[in-house]
Amino acid sequence: AFNGCSGLTSIDIPESVTSIGNRAFNGCSGLTSIDIPESVTSIGNYAFNGCSGLNSIDIPESVTSIGGWAFYDCKNLTSIKLNWEDDGILKFNSVWFIDLNKVTLYIPDGEKENYQEKDWVCNNTQSMLKVTLLINDEKYGKIKGDVNVIPNTIEIYTAIPNEHYHFVEWEGVSNTENPLEITVTENFELKAIFAIDQHTITLKGDNCTFSGSGEYEYGKTVKIEAKPNTGYHFIKWSDNNTDNPREIEVTKDLELEAVFEQHISEILPSKPATCTTDGLSEGLKCSVCGVILKEPETIKALGHTYGDPTFIWTDYSKAVASFVCTKDNDTQNINGVITSDTTLAPTFDKEGELTYTATFTFNGKPYTDTKKQVLEKLKPQGGDDPTPTNELSQNPQYKVWGYNGVVYIETENTDSQIQIFDLNGRLIKSQSLTSSHTEIIINNKGVVVVVIDKTSYKVAL
């Protein structure tokens, strides 16, 4: 590639190069220095033949093959650094230097005995010093510089951070400069400390307060929020994002401004309470963002207010009390419990009266209503003649007679009600028939009226 370029004085071989070909720099007599990168694995025949300007060369450990006469006729070459700790990997033609007796070979520390066994090693062989290069984390970066160093030489070490990391300091030396220039006089460890990049998030804006401003590591997810002052609502960030709060991934220094506007009030109409449902007072909201500016207050349900009941009798055995709410006309119908009592017994001269009482309970309060039933005048058996008789009645269902203060009744109808009155209409006794033959003792003698199923019988005792 550069064969015969005598005017070439120096060259940087890129790390993408893996092989220096045959006669690559043949006859480059003006070349005074060359840096062979660790990517190179082979050096071809006559690669540096005739490079008389070279006085030293550093062959990296990555090189496993050196061709014949690679450094032939390098008349001023006096120093060669060999970096193989495993020297058995090297394959080369032994005729690669013009005169090894003029050259000092520098080999890794502790490898002198192994190298002296090689037939191509000269008598002037010296061990190099070992610089152990360390980093606090391999993913953070690397160190560029020689690990095998000729004693008392000045070496330069450069800490190269990976993307999104930065160099912090050296450990093992007091100097914190980067690149580091140091005279190596002994074996030692050199450690580079790297750290992930830090970026600043700056939030600004009027009529609000912020959370999330600060300094963060690269790649960190940060939650930021702009909280509006009273009377304002959020519109957007300066990058036109409308999320608030929002999450951002930190990749660089970032400044964001929050934009706010004043609320525009809109009335939330009130809702009246009813007997059974709660109501709401009037409220306010922003017509733009929907934020509630004045929370409506709950108005408790009013509850029913019922007036006096209306009583409805369907017959003497059923009555209903109807309660109507004065606010919403809600109606509650309550069935009553019916009882009866004869308030005025019928006589042969006038009608009687039977009173039915309906009792109701509503909302813990009792109510009553009554209904009157007229009882027909008493009628003697066999016609209107009220003359007492002890003869049996001629009613086909009942046989009724009296004797010695006792009323006797015989019948097959045992579910009838019996009432016995004196001639003044006063009730003496009332009971139900219990058998086909019933005897009712009356504690006085005279004439009584026996009423069975609205049929009256005048009986002498």
Side-chain angles (χ1 to χ4, degrees):
F2 298 95
N3 185 18
C5 293
S6 59
L8 183 68
T9 59
S10 65
I11 188 170
D12 288 330
I13 300 176
E15 292 187 357
S16 59
V17 174
T18 60
S19 177
I20 298 175
N22 297 334
R23 299 181 182 274
F25 297 95
N26 178 59
C28 294
S29 57
L31 189 63
T32 58
S33 66
I34 189 166
D35 184 8
I36 302 175
E38 292 186 358
S39 60
V40 174
T41 60
S42 65
I43 299 174
N45 299 326
Y46 295 96
F48 294 95
N49 176 50
C51 293
S52 56
L54 286 176
N55 54 37
S56 66
I57 193 163
D58 186 347
I59 301 176
E61 187 180 9
S62 60
V63 175
T64 59
S65 174
I66 299 178
W69 310 98
F71 296 95
Y72 184 76
D73 202 19
C74 293
K75 300 176 181 180
N76 294 310
L77 188 63
T78 59
S79 172
I80 300 175
K81 287 176 62 177
L82 304 178
N83 293 279
W84 305 291
E85 293 185 1
D86 181 7
D87 57 277
I89 67 173
L90 180 64
K91 298 177 181 179
F92 61 92
N93 189 317
S94 61
V95 186
W96 54 311
F97 297 111
I98 184 172
D99 188 355
L100 287 176
N101 292 323
K102 293 181 180 181
V103 176
T104 300
L105 289 180
Y106 291 96
I107 62 176
D109 184 37
E111 298 295 324
K112 188 172 183 179
E113 183 176 342
N114 293 333
Y115 272 84
Q116 285 179 342
E117 295 177 357
K118 309 298 180 182
D119 57 4
W120 48 265
V121 175
C122 62
N123 293 328
N124 189 14
T125 301
Q126 295 186 19
S127 294
M128 292 182 286
L129 296 174
K130 180 72 172 181
V131 179
T132 304
L133 302 180
L134 304 170
I135 54 178
N136 58 324
D137 194 314
E138 291 184 358
K139 70 180 181 181
Y140 292 174
K142 63 183 180 179
I143 302 174
K144 182 180 180 181
D146 290 340
V147 295
N148 296 310
V149 180
I150 298 173
N152 299 311
T153 58
I154 297 175
E155 295 292 328
I156 297 176
Y157 295 93
T158 304
I160 305 172
N162 291 337
E163 188 178 11
H164 307 306
Y165 292 87
H166 61 276
F167 172 75
V168 178
E169 62 180 352
W170 298 104
E171 285 187 2
V173 294
S174 58
N175 194 329
T176 59
E177 294 180 354
N178 186 37
L180 173 67
E181 188 175 292
I182 187 171
T183 300
V184 180
T185 60
E186 60 182 351
N187 294 338
F188 75 100
E189 289 185 353
L190 180 64
K191 186 176 184 179
I193 304 300
F194 297 95
I196 193 168
D197 289 344
Q198 301 281 322
H199 295 290
T200 301
I201 304 297
T202 303
L203 305 177
K204 64 180 183 178
D206 298 326
N207 305 307
C208 62
T209 57
F210 296 103
S211 63
S213 296
E215 193 170 83
Y216 301 96
E217 293 182 351
Y218 174 87
K220 185 177 180 63
T221 299
V222 179
K223 181 180 179 180
I224 63 173
E225 184 175 6
K227 297 179 180 179
N229 294 343
T230 302
Y232 291 85
H233 60 267
F234 174 80
I235 298 297
K236 64 178 182 178
W237 298 97
S238 53
D239 62 355
N240 291 322
N241 186 292
T242 57
D243 295 334
N244 186 35
R246 63 185 282 198
E247 290 186 346
I248 57 175
E249 183 179 358
V250 178
T251 59
K252 61 182 179 180
D253 290 347
L254 182 64
E255 182 177 279
L256 291 172
E257 183 175 0
V259 180
F260 288 85
E261 289 183 356
Q262 282 187 303
H263 289 308
I264 299 176
S265 296
E266 177 184 334
I267 294 176
L268 295 173
S270 61
K271 176 185 175 183
T274 68
C275 293
T276 55
T277 60
D278 293 342
L280 293 173
S281 65
E282 186 179 275
L284 293 175
K285 75 171 184 178
C286 176
S287 61
V288 178
C289 67
V291 169
I292 301 299
L293 306 177
K294 179 184 177 184
E295 194 75 35
E297 295 181 356
T298 300
I299 302 171
K300 293 295 184 181
L302 303 177
H304 291 297
T305 300
Y306 294 96
D308 293 334
T310 299
F311 299 105
I312 303 170
W313 292 78
T314 54
D315 56 33
Y316 294 111
S317 62
K318 184 176 180 181
V320 173
S322 182
F323 296 85
V324 180
C325 177
T326 59
K327 299 172 184 174
D328 66 356
N329 292 323
D330 178 75
T331 301
Q332 298 291 323
N333 293 320
I334 308 299
N335 292 323
V337 177
I338 309 298
T339 59
S340 62
D341 186 29
T342 302
T343 54
L344 180 63
T347 66
F348 294 102
D349 300 324
K350 60 182 179 179
E351 295 173 334
E353 186 177 80
L354 182 60
T355 301
Y356 295 89
T357 302
T359 302
F360 310 86
T361 301
F362 181 64
N363 288 343
K365 183 179 179 181
Y367 296 86
T368 59
D369 189 45
T370 58
K371 185 174 181 65
K372 309 276 186 192
Q373 180 182 12
V374 176
L375 299 178
E376 297 178 353
K377 295 178 183 180
L378 298 179
K379 295 180 180 180
Q381 182 181 4
D384 294 331
D385 183 6
T387 304
T389 176
N390 285 327
E391 294 182 359
L392 296 177
S393 69
Q394 300 304 310
N395 188 307
Q397 291 186 349
Y398 303 100
K399 293 181 180 180
V400 183
W401 71 95
Y403 177 75
N404 198 24
V406 178
V407 175
Y408 299 90
I409 302 172
E410 288 185 357
T411 180
E412 297 299 326
N413 188 5
T414 59
D415 58 355
S416 298
Q417 184 73 21
I418 303 170
Q419 292 177 310
I420 301 175
F421 300 88
D422 64 16
L423 294 180
N424 293 319
R426 290 189 295 270
L427 180 65
I428 299 173
K429 187 167 288 190
S430 176
Q431 71 177 66
S432 299
L433 289 176
T434 58
S435 66
S436 60
H437 179 83
T438 301
E439 297 180 2
I440 303 174
I441 298 174
I442 305 300
N443 291 326
N444 62 324
K445 295 182 179 181
V447 178
V448 296
V449 176
V450 178
V451 179
I452 305 175
D453 290 340
K454 297 184 180 181
T455 302
S456 58
Y457 304 90
K458 192 174 181 183
V459 178
L461 302 179

